[in-house]
Amino acid sequence: AQSVTQLDSQVPVFEEAPVELRCNYSSSVSVYLFWYVQYPNQGLQLLLKYLSGSTLVKGINGFEAEFNKSQTSFHLRKPSVHISDTAEYFCAVSWGTGGSYIPTFGRGTSLIVHP
Amino acid sequence: ETGVTQTPRHLVMGMTNKKSLKCEQHLGHNAMYWYKQSAKKPLELMFVYNFKEQTENNSVPSRFSPECPNSSHLFLHLHTLQPEDSALYLCASSQHGLAGTDSYEQYFGPGTRLTVT
């Protein structure tokens, strides 16, 4: 079965510092990649997605992610975080052609931004 | 209303009660999903409907019964639940299956926080 691994369950960081949240998946064949954010007591909201084209993808709130096919990774980065970025972040992967369109989610990474 | 809405936002029910969760999407999508989100556990896919037909049922206990009367509405009927069913229940929708219109990403509602006593 296909799998998605978020290596860190919790990432503490100080405000204005850079952050990277890691995501790896099990197979590189025709993937669609997503990062979602979940604020407390809310549903998941799409941050960014990679379907094809440029491997560097920019999303909302200053986040970006890079698709690395050889390393089967899709790490999320932000150069300078704010207190308001404190939330749960989920990586998700759909295996495209011939596969299911239903995404597989990672377990989530809790980003905690300290003042 | 825009996006995906869910009602109620909070629900407390006894183990012998019957209740229903409602989800409505205003995005014109054809696929709808129920997820269960428990503390310290990964997101669990429960049911998927595509063009009103159920396409996935991930070994969900029969005390959870989904209903999809049209591609805009999705219900989750609950009866004789257990305390371990307490969780956040999320509804999502996406567009898939029509050539050139697939968007792949899911749009989530705010969830229903369910507490079983």
Side-chain angles (χ1 to χ4, degrees):
Chain A
Q2 311 285 21
S3 64
V4 180
T5 302
Q6 291 184 243
L7 297 165
D8 306 297
S9 60
Q10 203 172 83
V11 173
V13 64
F14 286 106
E15 196 174 17
E16 298 183 7
V19 70
E20 179 180 83
L21 306 183
R22 297 178 291 170
C23 174
N24 288 85
Y25 52 92
S26 57
S27 167
S28 64
V29 177
S30 189
V31 290
Y32 303 120
L33 303 160
F34 310 86
W35 275 99
Y36 291 85
V37 60
Q38 185 179 29
Y39 298 105
N41 300 314
Q42 294 187 28
L44 280 67
Q45 176 188 358
L46 183 70
L47 266 180
L48 49 79
K49 64 182 178 183
Y50 171 82
L51 301 182
S52 65
S54 172
T55 57
L56 184 62
V57 180
K58 294 191 183 297
I60 62 171
N61 301 340
F63 283 94
E64 63 180 34
E66 186 157 18
F67 168 51
N68 188 319
K69 186 173 181 178
S70 62
Q71 296 187 5
T72 60
S73 69
F74 190 55
H75 300 333
L76 180 70
R77 301 186 185 100
K78 186 169 182 178
S80 176
V81 295
H82 300 134
I83 295 286
S84 59
D85 292 324
T86 295
E88 193 81 13
Y89 291 80
F90 293 91
C91 179
V93 182
S94 293
W95 279 268
T97 306
S100 171
Y101 61 91
I102 301 169
T104 297
F105 284 84
R107 297 181 69 101
T109 296
S110 180
L111 176 63
I112 302 168
V113 181
H114 298 288
Chain B
E1 292 279 15
T2 58
V4 181
T5 58
Q6 289 186 244
T7 54
R9 292 293 310 275
H10 300 273
L11 178 63
V12 179
M13 60 186 288
M15 290 164 52
T16 58
N17 291 159
K18 289 185 181 181
K19 296 285 184 184
S20 296
L21 310 185
K22 178 183 175 183
C23 175
E24 183 174 0
Q25 59 98 357
H26 309 267
L27 300 166
H29 290 164
N30 63 290
M32 296 187 76
Y33 312 74
W34 278 117
Y35 287 90
K36 177 183 179 183
Q37 187 178 37
S38 304
K40 309 296 183 187
K41 286 188 172 182
L43 206 58
E44 295 175 51
L45 179 66
M46 300 175 73
F47 301 104
V48 181
Y49 279 82
N50 194 352
F51 290 106
K52 301 188 298 178
E53 298 296 320
Q54 188 179 122
T55 58
E56 295 276 337
N57 177 340
N58 278 0
S59 304
V60 181
S62 60
R63 57 186 182 269
F64 294 92
S65 174
E67 179 190 359
C68 188
N70 54 62
S71 48
S72 297
H73 293 85
L74 185 64
F75 296 89
L76 188 63
H77 303 299
L78 316 171
H79 64 97
T80 59
L81 294 191
Q82 304 298 311
E84 60 264 29
D85 297 322
S86 297
L88 183 68
Y89 288 84
L90 293 166
C91 174
S93 70
S94 69
Q95 180 64 27
H96 181 80
L98 299 175
T101 65
D102 291 356
S103 64
Y104 297 106
E105 68 262 34
Q106 293 180 312
Y107 292 77
F108 285 80
T112 295
R113 174 70 62 189
L114 174 66
T115 303
V116 181
T117 60

